[in-house]
Amino acid sequence: MTTTTVTTRPRLALTLGDPSGVGPELAMKLLASEENREQAEIYLLASQAEVDFYSAEVGVEVPTSTEPEPGKVTLVGSRLADQPVERGVASVAGGSRVLQDLLECLELFKQGKVDSIMFLPLNKSALHDAGMHEEDELRWFAKELGYDGVTSELNFVPGLTTSRVTSHCAVKEVAERISARSVLDAIRLLHEVVNANGVEKPRLAVCALNPHAGESGQFGREEIDHIAPGVRLAQAEGIDASGPFPSDTVFIAARDGEYDGVVTMYHDQGQIAMKLMGFDQGVTVQGGLPVPIATPAHGTAYGIVGQNKANLGPTQRAFGIAVALGRRTQENRVPAIV
């Protein structure tokens, strides 16, 4: 069995994301920073030719090496590096590159060689065209890892994190997927990740599903039958969770600092609020998996590819979160998966 030797810095696997989008530009901007390179041992899934091309396009320098070396990015390559890909459009080639690189990242984790993973923006249509059958990348990661535990996308903007009880499913399916256990799972996961990012005692709010939190059952019983019981279960475990609160007001309290995290019932309930609060600073974490995986919470921005206009903010924040979670993985790591 392979085991892990703890080093002084977390080890981070980084992909370019969809090479048709702004991911390569963002990678070069991120890696050009000496301060970033000092925070982690960075293993980049790209070729030297790709680094040379994209760094020249952006106007930066990225020092590289084929072995870990202080101050340099370690190139581990990619099976599909340097393959022709049309820029600025979703394509099978782009989706295939994303899936292949992520598979190689997972393998690095299984072998005990990295502590966390960060991928740059991808396009779900390209992934599905390239052969991904799962509803989203989180479920794909879980399948590839053979993991059947609790998972949830977690979204971050400065000062606030959200988790979801349901995610990429039809709105008509949301109510039937909500149970006291699924609410408890989302609360636990949010508590764990917010705590891992430095909040000793996270204060969590839980959204209602129905208008006015159901108005004592007049507009639905999900709050009474499932959500409130889930909150009580979390409180019994010592988690500072409260609710359910109407979702049209709870984010105002969160914005004003009353809560460190909010548990949402479905995708857009949290995403609309989070993007209004900080669209250019959002980060998504694939929560619950054996390996921390982070990404900026925006798309491939095909329309500005090659123009050196991509905002580094979300990528920089995703990097910081991936490093912090990787450090925690490193401290708690058990023998690697074989």
Side-chain angles (χ1 to χ4, degrees):
M1 179 175 289
T2 303
T3 57
T4 300
T5 301
V6 175
T7 62
T8 56
R9 296 181 299 164
R11 300 157 304 166
L12 171 69
L14 174 67
T15 81
L16 298 179
D18 187 335
S20 301
V22 294
E25 172 186 331
L26 292 168
M28 297 307 110
K29 290 178 176 178
L30 180 78
L31 299 176
S33 165
E34 182 179 0
E35 181 179 354
N36 287 337
R37 298 194 305 272
E38 289 176 349
Q39 289 186 51
E41 290 183 8
I42 302 170
Y43 295 83
L44 179 64
L45 281 83
S47 69
Q48 185 64 58
E50 288 176 319
V51 172
D52 292 343
F53 175 82
Y54 292 119
S55 60
E57 185 172 69
V58 177
V60 299
E61 293 185 4
V62 177
T64 63
S65 176
T66 56
E67 297 291 337
E69 186 176 334
K72 294 186 177 182
V73 175
T74 304
L75 293 184
V76 295
S78 165
R79 294 183 186 181
L80 297 181
D82 305 313
Q83 297 295 307
V85 177
E86 184 179 358
R87 302 178 77 186
V89 297
S91 67
V92 172
S96 297
R97 172 67 183 272
V98 171
L99 292 175
Q100 181 59 52
D101 285 355
L102 291 175
L103 282 172
E104 293 182 34
C105 288
L106 295 179
E107 189 59 32
L108 289 171
F109 173 75
K110 292 176 184 179
Q111 294 174 6
K113 296 179 179 179
V114 299
D115 305 301
S116 60
I117 296 168
M118 177 177 165
F119 64 89
L120 288 168
L122 50 75
N123 179 280
K124 285 184 175 60
S125 294
L127 296 186
H128 287 123
D129 290 344
M132 186 183 82
H133 301 295
E134 292 69 31
E135 59 194 33
D136 54 35
E137 59 270 26
L138 175 56
R139 278 73 190 173
W140 181 85
F141 282 126
K143 181 202 70 173
E144 294 298 333
L145 289 166
Y147 181 73
D148 61 0
V150 176
T151 60
S152 172
E153 290 88 355
L154 297 156
N155 289 95
F156 297 72
V157 293
L160 182 65
T161 307
T162 65
S163 66
R164 309 173 194 165
V165 176
T166 71
S167 188
H168 295 106
C169 67
V171 172
K172 67 180 180 181
E173 298 174 13
V174 169
E176 64 190 43
R177 296 193 184 194
I178 295 173
S179 66
R181 181 51 191 258
S182 65
V183 171
L184 173 62
D185 288 341
I187 294 172
R188 281 175 173 166
L189 189 55
L190 183 60
H191 178 271
E192 178 182 347
V193 172
V194 174
N195 176 258
N197 275 278
V199 180
E200 184 175 353
K201 296 181 179 179
R203 302 159 301 162
L204 308 182
V206 179
C207 285
L209 174 65
N210 297 300
H212 305 175
E215 201 75 84
S216 300
Q218 292 185 58
F219 304 146
R221 292 192 53 86
E222 285 79 13
E223 289 74 18
I224 297 169
D225 295 340
H226 305 301
I227 303 174
V231 173
R232 290 194 292 270
L233 289 171
Q235 292 169 339
E237 296 182 359
I239 297 174
D240 184 358
S242 54
F245 299 117
S247 60
D248 60 352
T249 55
V250 69
F251 281 96
I252 298 173
R255 179 201 62 191
D256 293 342
E258 293 183 30
Y259 301 105
D260 304 299
V262 177
V263 176
T264 64
M265 294 299 114
Y266 58 95
H267 183 280
D268 285 6
Q269 186 179 54
Q271 288 296 85
I272 292 171
M274 294 286 282
K275 290 184 178 183
L276 283 170
M277 292 172 68
F279 178 76
D280 61 348
Q281 301 181 74
V283 175
T284 299
V285 168
Q286 312 293 312
L289 297 171
V291 54
I293 304 176
T295 186
H298 62 74
T300 47
Y302 291 136
I304 60 170
V305 171
Q307 300 177 36
N308 199 12
K309 293 181 178 179
N311 180 1
L312 185 62
T315 295
Q316 184 65 59
R317 293 200 69 241
F319 178 75
I321 289 170
V323 169
L325 293 176
R327 187 174 294 113
R328 179 160 176 168
T329 300
Q330 189 180 66
E331 292 170 352
N332 300 321
R333 182 104 184 207
V334 296
I337 302 168
V338 296

